[in-house]
Each structure stands twice: as structure tokens, then as C-alpha cells.
Amino acid sequence: MTIGPARGTIAVIAPNWNQAMWAENLAGPEGGNDVRVWPDLGQGPIAYAAVWMPPPGALAGLDGLEVIFNLGAGVDHLLNDRTTPDLPIVRSVVPDLAQRMGEYVALQALTHTRLARLYDAQQRRGEWRHHPHAPAGAFTVGIMGYGELGRHVSGVLEAIGFDVVAWSRTEKADASVTCYAGSGGLDAFLGRTDILVALLPSTAETRGILNRDLFARLRRSGPLGGAVLINAGRGALQVDADIVAALDDNTLAAASLDVFDPEPLDPASPLWSHKKAVITPHAAADSSHEVLAADVLQQIAAYEAGGRSALAHVVDRGRGY
Ligand code: NDP
Ligand code: OXD
């Protein structure tokens, strides 16, 4: 579809990010779009809001708003704000995000299976000492959340040689790996899993799911002598104190954590200095200005030509994702 100038005004409301950069990319190829940047939204109606963590109530104050575009995949920040208007929320689903997430999860899984931190510590001591390692095929990676990101990550890990299984809310008939669903399938899924990858959204059902009771149900007889947790979904999924306890008693051999609740992670958290923890600052899959703005402009063009039904990846508020 050819993308001409948008009929409606676009507001960028992402105060923790470089808003000017988003505005530049949302101006369109000819720079023909009327783009305003929070908090200077000027006069007149705003049809479209392109947002990431807008200040609570910011969207409710906009006149003429028609569609909310979330400049990322997870929408918990919008659904947790009771003032978010009851309008279509379109989330970002682009190959670029999945590619980046695949890179992050592969990096973390291999960091642990190939003993990268141990060798890093040895190098710092000038120590030449070999340790045997198990190949990828000796590990089963269990992916919680077999959606846009989970499916891609699954393919990346399979290509490396990991055995992969997945777990989601609903059954998957078309999956390339063995999939488990719902609370009924959780025990069987966990019982096979050496490396648990959380790519779930934060919802009323998933909050706190990564807790001590769940860690105890993971397979711990694998080559690392304990299970590995990789959480790149949302911080609200995990109970930080339970992760520390599980790392300390070897239920978990290691954890890679990209997300926290709240963010940034509290400077006093014991996770920062835990020898078995890898901490990254919500950096698993960055939102690219160029790619996501192009996606928003494409969706605006589709909406202006075909109305709400032409929008893709509209959030289901009932499900919470
Ligand atoms: P999708 O909506 O495509 O997939 C979500 C998956 O989670 C689906 O498979 C869904 O099941 C499953 N799910 C949801 N609720 C439950 C539940 N109660 N029990 C079991 N499974 C459940 O989302 P994406 O893959 O695009 O993104 C996933 C999350 O990743 C985002 O919500 C965000 O929080 C996080 N994220 C993190 C980033 C980072 O940089 N750290 C970057 C981008 C995203 P079903 O298929 O049955 O619907
Ligand atoms: C997210 C994202 O949802 O960065 O975390 O897209």
C-alpha cells in the first residue's frame, strides 16, 4: 500500500525515550505528517497517539483520539492505567523485535550451557582450566508464551540444536515443537524443562508465576545440576526474592533477567551482585525508531482506508494482551 500523508494528527507520548527521534520517523517519507511531541501537543484534535509509558491520564486528555499505537510489544503499562481510553490499542509486531529477542535468548542460553561466565572469571585470574560442557541437544528449553516472540525464539533455539518445548494459554495445533497448554499442561511442561524462557505478557493470570513453587517443578537433573531461568517477558512475572532463594539453594543453577518490577532494578537488590545472575536493563529487544514508526504509518494508512477492521495486532483487553 502506498503511504501518503496521514489525515489525522499524530502525538508522540514516550517521555522516557528520545521523542524527537520518534517524531522525525513518524513525519513520513516526505515529512508531510502533522506530528506533535508530548507535552507540547498544541491545539486541535489528535487522532493517533504513538506511546510508550505515557504519563497516567495523558491519553484521556486528548481530544478526538481514534487509535493508540504502542511502540513496543507489551501493553501492560496501558492496561494497568484505568484512564486509558476504550479505543483500539495496536501493539508492535515486527520481525525486527523477534529477531532481537531471538538473539538475546540464544545468547543467554549459550552463556549458561557453554559456561561463559566461569571462563570469564578464570580469564580475569589468568587461569587456564578446561571444564567439560554438554552440547545444546542435551538441554530441553521450555518457552512460556508461544506467541509472536516465543515462536521465533523457538526456531532460533531449534536451529542451534536445543530440544525445545513450549507452553501457552491455548492449544497449538500448528507448532513445530511439542506444546503444552493451560494449567493442565504446566506440570508436564516444567518436568521436561532444563532452561525456562519466559516470554509471557504481564496479566492478572501470569503475575508472580515465576515463583519458588514453579522453580521446584523444573527438571534439575540436567548437565548444569539445576535449572536455568531466562525472563525477557515482564518483571511482574517473577518474584525476585524467590529467584534469589532458588539460586542460593541450587534449584536454579543460573538466571538471566532482562525485566523487573519496578524498573530500574532497585540498587539494593541482591540480584545485582549475585554470581549466578545475569542482569540486563530491559534491553533484550529494543524498539527501533525506523522499523516501528514505519509499521505505525502503515497501520494508519490501512485504518484511514478501511477503518478499525483494517488494523492488525489490536490488543484484546479481555485477555489482557
Ligand atoms: P503474544 O501476545 O504474541 O504472545 C503471548 C503468548 O503468551 C501467547 O502464546 C499466549 O498464549 C501466552 N499467554 C498469555 N497468557 C497466558 C497464560 N495465562 N498462560 C499461558 N500462556 C499465556 O506476545 P509477544 O510474543 O509479542 O510478546 C510477549 C511479551 O514479551 C510481551 O507481552 C512483553 O511483555 C515481552 N517483551 C519484552 C521485550 C524485552 O525487551 N524484554 C520486548 C518485547 C516484548 P496464546 O497463544 O494461547 O494466546
Ligand atoms: C516491550 C518492548 O514490550 O520493548 O518490552 O517491546
Side-chain angles (χ1 to χ4, degrees):
M1 170 183 300
T2 330
I3 302 181
R7 281 202 297 275
T9 297
I10 304 171
V12 175
I13 312 182
N16 300 333
W17 283 355
N18 183 341
Q19 297 190 117
M21 193 80 94
W22 284 101
E24 197 179 302
N25 283 283
L26 286 165
E30 311 291 320
N33 293 337
D34 180 11
V35 184
R36 315 273 174 87
V37 174
W38 175 266
D40 303 316
L41 301 184
Q43 301 298 313
I46 300 282
Y48 311 115
V51 306
W52 183 254
M53 300 210 172
L59 295 172
L62 299 183
D63 258 358
L65 189 61
E66 294 176 38
V67 185
I68 300 164
F69 294 97
N70 183 53
L71 299 173
V75 291
D76 44 307
H77 62 107
L78 292 172
L79 300 187
N80 290 342
D81 177 358
R82 286 173 186 278
T83 69
T84 299
D86 188 11
L87 292 168
I89 298 175
V90 173
R91 70 188 195 93
S92 296
V93 176
V94 290
D96 182 68
L97 266 182
Q99 165 70 28
R100 290 167 192 252
M101 186 58 82
E103 293 169 7
Y104 170 83
V105 175
L107 173 68
Q108 299 308 321
L110 290 169
T111 290
H112 299 302
T113 64
R114 296 302 306 257
L115 315 176
R117 299 205 108 197
L118 177 61
Y119 285 126
D120 187 48
Q122 285 189 189
Q123 178 187 338
R124 268 150 235 297
R125 296 193 295 270
E127 185 180 340
W128 180 275
R129 187 163 160 219
H130 173 269
H131 303 272
H133 71 262
F139 297 90
T140 298
V141 182
I143 303 177
M144 298 183 97
Y146 197 64
E148 298 290 341
L149 301 181
R151 277 179 191 258
H152 178 78
V153 166
S154 169
V156 171
L157 296 174
E158 284 177 273
I160 293 172
F162 287 105
D163 177 42
V164 180
V165 296
W167 181 74
S168 56
R169 194 175 56 82
T170 56
E171 306 275 350
K172 300 282 174 267
D174 60 340
S176 65
V177 297
T178 303
C179 281
Y180 300 86
S183 51
L186 188 55
D187 268 331
F189 165 78
L190 295 172
R192 285 183 66 169
T193 294
D194 302 303
I195 301 176
L196 184 68
V197 176
L199 286 171
L200 292 167
S202 166
T203 68
E205 285 175 21
T206 62
R207 255 168 246 139
I209 193 169
L210 302 176
N211 59 41
R212 217 165 170 179
D213 168 62
L214 180 137
F215 301 147
R217 288 142 75 194
L218 291 165
R219 181 158 71 185
R220 282 180 278 157
S221 54
L224 297 178
V228 171
L229 169 66
I230 300 173
N231 183 13
R234 276 292 179 267
L237 303 175
Q238 76 203 15
V239 180
D240 287 11
D242 286 8
I243 295 175
V244 173
L247 289 170
D248 286 343
D249 72 11
N250 262 342
T251 303
L252 291 179
S256 291
L257 308 172
D258 183 58
V259 283
F260 301 90
D261 185 25
E263 292 178 354
L265 177 60
D266 184 344
S269 169
L271 286 167
W272 280 112
S273 56
H274 204 292
K275 279 205 308 250
K276 296 175 169 181
V278 177
I279 306 296
T280 47
H282 200 140
D286 271 357
S287 291
S288 147
H289 304 111
E290 293 84 2
V291 176
L292 295 196
D295 184 54
V296 169
L297 295 182
Q298 189 88 41
Q299 291 251 33
I300 289 176
Y303 171 75
E304 292 189 343
R308 281 190 184 193
S309 62
L311 291 168
H313 312 303
V314 176
V315 172
D316 179 335
R317 286 172 186 248
R319 291 186 324 188
Y321 64 100

